[in-house]
């Protein structure tokens, strides 16, 4: 096997389903939901791994298959469940503006924290894309369609909208929403400063004698 090839020998889950170990040709890997990372004793390295749910249906090929079939709602739900940033962004950018509300409406409360965290990352200049208006449309849809659900999730109470406490206990929704607000405010401040500089430049150029 080469460095880019991997053979899986066995998988074993912990009793609380929060960790699982994988035996591969590159050594053993231990994935932890609590730390959101995968650790291997051979290379001593960490990789981000924060799946929201793990089933046979939740996989990279399943996401790509749904995307190829133009089933954007299913593709987004699977991508959020898998919570792989590259796949999630691929699906996210394929959703047309006219379908944003439909896709957001289909996302259940257990996956809302993953969506909010992803939108925060997309607003960061270092990691996100420059499609500011597109991001704002997604955020607006989340607030319009899931505002009450998010309020209930911040209290930690199980309701008909939020589901059981186990589904929301691992995510600090209030902190995620605050982080989203911070990123949105910083991006807005940066754009406002640029617009003001352009306005002053245009005024100066307009005042020059012709």
């Amino acid at each position: 096997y080469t460095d880019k090839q991997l053979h899986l020998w066995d998988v074993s889950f912990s009793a609380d389903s929060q960790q699982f170990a994988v035996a591969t040709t590159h050594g053993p890997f231990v994935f932890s939901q609590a730390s959101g990372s995968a650790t291997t004793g051979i290379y001593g390295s960490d990789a981000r791994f924060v799946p929201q749910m793990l089933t046979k249906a939740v996989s990279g090929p399943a996401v790509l298959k749904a995307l190829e079939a133009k089933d954007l709602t299913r593709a987004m739900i699977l991508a959020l469940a898998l919570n792989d940033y590259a796949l999630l962004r691929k699906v996210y950018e394929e959703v047309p503006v006219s379908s944003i509300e439909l896709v957001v409406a289909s996302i259940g409360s257990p996956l809302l924290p993953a969506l909010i965290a992803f939108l925060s990352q997309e607003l960061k200049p270092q990691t996100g894309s420059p499609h500011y208006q597109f991001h704002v449309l997604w955020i607006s849809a989340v607030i319009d369609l899931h505002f009450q659900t998010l309020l209930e999730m911040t209290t930690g109470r199980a309701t008909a909208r939020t589901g059981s406490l186990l589904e929301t206990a691992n995510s600090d929704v209030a902190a995620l929403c605050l982080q989203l607000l911070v990123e949105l405010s910083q991006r807005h401040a940066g754009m406002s400063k640029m617009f003001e500089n352009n306005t002053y430049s245009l005024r100066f150029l307009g005042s020059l004698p012709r």
Side-chain angles (χ1 to χ4, degrees), residues 83 85 112-122 176 179-180:
N83 210 11
Y85 184 76
L112 286 177
L115 177 59
I116 294 171
F118 171 76
L119 291 172
S120 295
Q121 289 296 317
E122 283 298 287
L176 288 172
Q179 181 62 34
L180 180 61

Side-chain angles (χ1 to χ4, degrees), residues 162-176:
T162 63
S164 68
L165 285 172
L166 291 176
E167 291 175 327
T168 58
N170 289 333
S171 300
D172 190 344
V173 178
L176 288 172

Side-chain angles (χ1 to χ4, degrees), residues 88-107:
L88 193 48
R89 172 183 266 191
K90 185 178 181 65
V91 176
Y92 176 76
E93 293 185 342
E94 287 291 329
V95 177
V97 171
S98 59
S99 299
I100 291 177
E101 288 193 0
L102 177 63
V103 173
V104 172
S106 68
I107 297 172

Side-chain angles (χ1 to χ4, degrees), residues 133-196:
Q133 184 180 6
F134 189 65
H135 304 326
V136 171
L137 290 173
W138 273 84
I139 295 169
S140 298
V142 171
I143 294 173
D144 290 342
L145 297 167
H146 297 292
F147 181 72
Q148 190 61 40
T149 302
L150 291 172
L151 283 180
E152 292 172 355
M153 291 174 73
T154 58
T155 66
R157 293 184 293 105
T159 67
R161 272 188 290 260
T162 63
S164 68
L165 285 172
L166 291 176
E167 291 175 327
T168 58
N170 289 333
S171 300
D172 190 344
V173 178
L176 288 172
C177 290
L178 181 59
Q179 181 62 34
L180 180 61
L181 178 60
V182 169
E183 298 298 339
L184 189 61
S185 299
Q186 290 180 348
R187 193 73 175 266
H188 179 266
M191 293 181 66
S192 297
K193 184 177 180 180
M194 180 181 66
F195 292 153
E196 289 176 0

Side-chain angles (χ1 to χ4, degrees), residues 1-169:
Y1 296 96
T2 67
D3 291 340
K4 294 184 179 180
Q5 290 178 320
L6 190 79
H7 186 86
L8 208 66
W9 299 113
D10 198 7
V11 177
S12 181
F13 284 83
S14 63
D16 60 0
S17 298
Q18 295 300 301
Q19 294 179 316
F20 68 91
V22 182
T24 76
T25 50
H26 286 203
F29 291 81
V30 178
F31 295 90
S32 173
Q33 170 70 18
S35 64
S37 63
T39 305
T40 169
I42 294 179
Y43 299 109
S45 61
D46 289 340
R48 291 298 298 168
F49 180 75
V50 196
Q52 300 303 294
M53 58 184 68
L54 289 172
T55 68
K56 291 182 178 179
V58 178
S59 65
V63 175
L64 296 176
K65 183 178 180 180
L67 190 60
E68 185 178 355
K70 301 300 181 182
D71 189 350
L72 298 177
T73 297
R74 178 175 173 78
M76 177 56 72
I77 291 173
L78 289 174
L80 285 170
L82 190 61
N83 210 11
D84 180 278
Y85 184 76
L87 273 177
L88 193 48
R89 172 183 266 191
K90 185 178 181 65
V91 176
Y92 176 76
E93 293 185 342
E94 287 291 329
V95 177
V97 171
S98 59
S99 299
I100 291 177
E101 288 193 0
L102 177 63
V103 173
V104 172
S106 68
I107 297 172
S109 58
L111 297 177
L112 286 177
L115 177 59
I116 294 171
F118 171 76
L119 291 172
S120 295
Q121 289 296 317
E122 283 298 287
L123 285 170
K124 291 178 180 291
Q126 302 89 345
T127 58
S129 65
H131 309 137
Y132 181 73
Q133 184 180 6
F134 189 65
H135 304 326
V136 171
L137 290 173
W138 273 84
I139 295 169
S140 298
V142 171
I143 294 173
D144 290 342
L145 297 167
H146 297 292
F147 181 72
Q148 190 61 40
T149 302
L150 291 172
L151 283 180
E152 292 172 355
M153 291 174 73
T154 58
T155 66
R157 293 184 293 105
T159 67
R161 272 188 290 260
T162 63
S164 68
L165 285 172
L166 291 176
E167 291 175 327
T168 58

